[in-house]
PDB file of all heavy atoms in Angstrom:
ATOM      1  N   GLN A 641      11.027   0.498  21.412  1.00 98.00           N
ATOM      2  CA  GLN A 641      11.230   0.184  22.709  1.00 98.00           C
ATOM      3  C   GLN A 641      12.687  -0.185  22.996  1.00 98.00           C
ATOM      4  O   GLN A 641      13.135  -1.038  22.266  1.00 98.00           O
ATOM      5  CB  GLN A 641      10.181  -0.919  23.187  1.00 98.00           C
ATOM      6  CG  GLN A 641       8.730  -0.445  23.094  1.00 98.00           C
ATOM      7  CD  GLN A 641       8.221  -0.423  21.756  1.00 98.00           C
ATOM      8  OE1 GLN A 641       8.453  -1.267  20.849  1.00 98.00           O
ATOM      9  NE2 GLN A 641       7.474   0.600  21.480  1.00 98.00           N
ATOM     10  N   GLU A 642      13.159   0.380  23.994  1.00 98.00           N
ATOM     11  CA  GLU A 642      14.595  -0.102  24.408  1.00 98.00           C
ATOM     12  C   GLU A 642      14.343  -1.243  25.360  1.00 98.00           C
ATOM     13  O   GLU A 642      13.837  -1.218  26.388  1.00 98.00           O
ATOM     14  CB  GLU A 642      15.286   1.008  25.151  1.00 98.00           C
ATOM     15  CG  GLU A 642      15.737   2.172  24.348  1.00 98.00           C
ATOM     16  CD  GLU A 642      16.635   3.146  25.019  1.00 98.00           C
ATOM     17  OE1 GLU A 642      16.322   3.482  26.323  1.00 98.00           O
ATOM     18  OE2 GLU A 642      17.614   3.559  24.507  1.00 98.00           O
ATOM     19  N   GLN A 643      15.037  -2.424  24.962  1.00 98.00           N
ATOM     20  CA  GLN A 643      15.175  -3.534  25.822  1.00 98.00           C
ATOM     21  C   GLN A 643      16.426  -3.457  26.643  1.00 98.00           C
ATOM     22  O   GLN A 643      16.496  -4.224  27.645  1.00 98.00           O
ATOM     23  CB  GLN A 643      15.163  -4.790  24.916  1.00 98.00           C
ATOM     24  CG  GLN A 643      13.961  -4.975  23.876  1.00 98.00           C
ATOM     25  CD  GLN A 643      12.531  -4.764  24.628  1.00 98.00           C
ATOM     26  OE1 GLN A 643      12.343  -5.103  25.790  1.00 98.00           O
ATOM     27  NE2 GLN A 643      11.632  -4.274  23.701  1.00 98.00           N
ATOM     28  N   ARG A 644      17.291  -2.781  26.180  1.00 98.00           N
ATOM     29  CA  ARG A 644      18.552  -2.372  27.026  1.00 98.00           C
ATOM     30  C   ARG A 644      18.699  -0.922  27.008  1.00 98.00           C
ATOM     31  O   ARG A 644      18.690  -0.283  26.065  1.00 98.00           O
ATOM     32  CB  ARG A 644      19.667  -3.048  26.337  1.00 98.00           C
ATOM     33  CG  ARG A 644      21.048  -2.765  27.009  1.00 98.00           C
ATOM     34  CD  ARG A 644      22.238  -3.552  26.401  1.00 98.00           C
ATOM     35  NE  ARG A 644      22.547  -3.006  25.113  1.00 98.00           N
ATOM     36  CZ  ARG A 644      23.183  -1.802  24.792  1.00 98.00           C
ATOM     37  NH1 ARG A 644      23.577  -1.089  25.774  1.00 98.00           N
ATOM     38  NH2 ARG A 644      23.405  -1.393  23.670  1.00 98.00           N
ATOM     39  N   ALA A 645      18.889  -0.289  28.222  1.00 98.00           N
ATOM     40  CA  ALA A 645      19.136   1.063  28.347  1.00 98.00           C
ATOM     41  C   ALA A 645      20.217   1.606  27.483  1.00 98.00           C
ATOM     42  O   ALA A 645      21.253   0.994  27.494  1.00 98.00           O
ATOM     43  CB  ALA A 645      19.314   1.490  29.789  1.00 98.00           C
ATOM     44  N   GLY A 646      19.886   2.660  26.762  1.00 98.00           N
ATOM     45  CA  GLY A 646      20.965   3.268  25.877  1.00 98.00           C
ATOM     46  C   GLY A 646      20.975   2.699  24.448  1.00 98.00           C
ATOM     47  O   GLY A 646      21.745   3.231  23.677  1.00 98.00           O
ATOM     48  N   ALA A 647      20.114   1.682  24.090  1.00 98.00           N
ATOM     49  CA  ALA A 647      20.170   1.122  22.850  1.00 98.00           C
ATOM     50  C   ALA A 647      19.781   2.154  21.683  1.00 98.00           C
ATOM     51  O   ALA A 647      20.244   2.037  20.592  1.00 98.00           O
ATOM     52  CB  ALA A 647      19.217  -0.199  22.735  1.00 98.00           C
ATOM     53  N   ALA A 648      18.857   2.971  22.071  1.00 98.00           N
ATOM     54  CA  ALA A 648      18.371   3.989  21.028  1.00 98.00           C
ATOM     55  C   ALA A 648      19.522   4.964  20.602  1.00 98.00           C
ATOM     56  O   ALA A 648      19.748   5.363  19.544  1.00 98.00           O
ATOM     57  CB  ALA A 648      17.301   4.811  21.541  1.00 98.00           C
ATOM     58  N   ARG A 649      20.398   5.263  21.610  1.00 98.00           N
ATOM     59  CA  ARG A 649      21.564   6.123  21.446  1.00 98.00           C
ATOM     60  C   ARG A 649      22.588   5.449  20.529  1.00 98.00           C
ATOM     61  O   ARG A 649      23.267   6.017  19.651  1.00 98.00           O
ATOM     62  CB  ARG A 649      22.129   6.650  22.769  1.00 98.00           C
ATOM     63  CG  ARG A 649      21.327   7.603  23.389  1.00 98.00           C
ATOM     64  CD  ARG A 649      22.049   8.152  24.675  1.00 98.00           C
ATOM     65  NE  ARG A 649      21.124   9.084  25.397  1.00 98.00           N
ATOM     66  CZ  ARG A 649      21.037  10.456  25.040  1.00 98.00           C
ATOM     67  NH1 ARG A 649      21.639  10.871  24.027  1.00 98.00           N
ATOM     68  NH2 ARG A 649      20.319  11.167  25.740  1.00 98.00           N
ATOM     69  N   VAL A 650      22.751   4.103  20.912  1.00 98.00           N
ATOM     70  CA  VAL A 650      23.633   3.373  20.028  1.00 98.00           C
ATOM     71  C   VAL A 650      23.136   3.335  18.525  1.00 98.00           C
ATOM     72  O   VAL A 650      23.919   3.567  17.571  1.00 98.00           O
ATOM     73  CB  VAL A 650      23.691   1.839  20.582  1.00 98.00           C
ATOM     74  CG1 VAL A 650      24.545   0.961  19.407  1.00 98.00           C
ATOM     75  CG2 VAL A 650      24.459   1.864  21.904  1.00 98.00           C
ATOM     76  N   ALA A 651      21.803   3.093  18.329  1.00 98.00           N
ATOM     77  CA  ALA A 651      21.242   3.092  17.006  1.00 98.00           C
ATOM     78  C   ALA A 651      21.379   4.421  16.317  1.00 98.00           C
ATOM     79  O   ALA A 651      21.916   4.418  15.158  1.00 98.00           O
ATOM     80  CB  ALA A 651      19.726   2.836  17.098  1.00 98.00           C
ATOM     81  N   ASP A 652      21.340   5.543  17.017  1.00 98.00           N
ATOM     82  CA  ASP A 652      21.595   6.894  16.445  1.00 98.00           C
ATOM     83  C   ASP A 652      23.005   6.983  16.021  1.00 98.00           C
ATOM     84  O   ASP A 652      23.271   7.588  14.940  1.00 98.00           O
ATOM     85  CB  ASP A 652      21.236   8.036  17.383  1.00 98.00           C
ATOM     86  CG  ASP A 652      19.606   8.272  17.348  1.00 98.00           C
ATOM     87  OD1 ASP A 652      18.979   7.623  16.540  1.00 98.00           O
ATOM     88  OD2 ASP A 652      19.248   9.092  18.170  1.00 98.00           O
ATOM     89  N   ALA A 653      23.921   6.577  16.928  1.00 97.00           N
ATOM     90  CA  ALA A 653      25.369   6.686  16.662  1.00 97.00           C
ATOM     91  C   ALA A 653      25.762   5.994  15.344  1.00 97.00           C
ATOM     92  O   ALA A 653      26.568   6.369  14.505  1.00 97.00           O
ATOM     93  CB  ALA A 653      26.157   6.208  17.823  1.00 97.00           C
ATOM     94  N   LEU A 654      25.116   4.768  15.106  1.00 98.00           N
ATOM     95  CA  LEU A 654      25.322   4.047  13.794  1.00 98.00           C
ATOM     96  C   LEU A 654      24.550   4.478  12.689  1.00 98.00           C
ATOM     97  O   LEU A 654      25.128   4.492  11.522  1.00 98.00           O
ATOM     98  CB  LEU A 654      24.970   2.510  14.158  1.00 98.00           C
ATOM     99  CG  LEU A 654      25.744   1.726  15.169  1.00 98.00           C
ATOM    100  CD1 LEU A 654      25.096   0.424  15.424  1.00 98.00           C
ATOM    101  CD2 LEU A 654      27.161   1.621  14.736  1.00 98.00           C
ATOM    102  N   LEU A 655      23.276   4.898  12.772  1.00 98.00           N
ATOM    103  CA  LEU A 655      22.515   4.957  11.546  1.00 98.00           C
ATOM    104  C   LEU A 655      22.311   6.514  11.149  1.00 98.00           C
ATOM    105  O   LEU A 655      22.243   6.748   9.964  1.00 98.00           O
ATOM    106  CB  LEU A 655      21.139   4.477  11.925  1.00 98.00           C
ATOM    107  CG  LEU A 655      21.087   2.978  12.187  1.00 98.00           C
ATOM    108  CD1 LEU A 655      19.626   2.595  12.772  1.00 98.00           C
ATOM    109  CD2 LEU A 655      21.188   2.145  10.978  1.00 98.00           C
ATOM    110  N   ARG A 656      22.454   7.514  12.032  1.00 97.00           N
ATOM    111  CA  ARG A 656      22.166   8.773  11.644  1.00 97.00           C
ATOM    112  C   ARG A 656      23.327   9.357  10.766  1.00 97.00           C
ATOM    113  O   ARG A 656      24.433   8.944  10.871  1.00 97.00           O
ATOM    114  CB  ARG A 656      21.927   9.748  12.753  1.00 97.00           C
ATOM    115  CG  ARG A 656      20.680   9.427  13.611  1.00 97.00           C
ATOM    116  CD  ARG A 656      20.064  10.602  14.281  1.00 97.00           C
ATOM    117  NE  ARG A 656      19.388  11.384  13.293  1.00 97.00           N
ATOM    118  CZ  ARG A 656      18.728  12.503  13.683  1.00 97.00           C
ATOM    119  NH1 ARG A 656      18.833  12.956  14.910  1.00 97.00           N
ATOM    120  NH2 ARG A 656      18.048  13.218  12.873  1.00 97.00           N
TER     121      ARG A 656
END
Side-chain angles (χ1 to χ4, degrees):
Q641 293 76 44
E642 288 188 318
Q643 310 303 336
R644 179 179 64 79
R649 291 187 179 277
V650 173
D652 279 356
L654 291 176
L655 297 169
R656 296 209 81 179

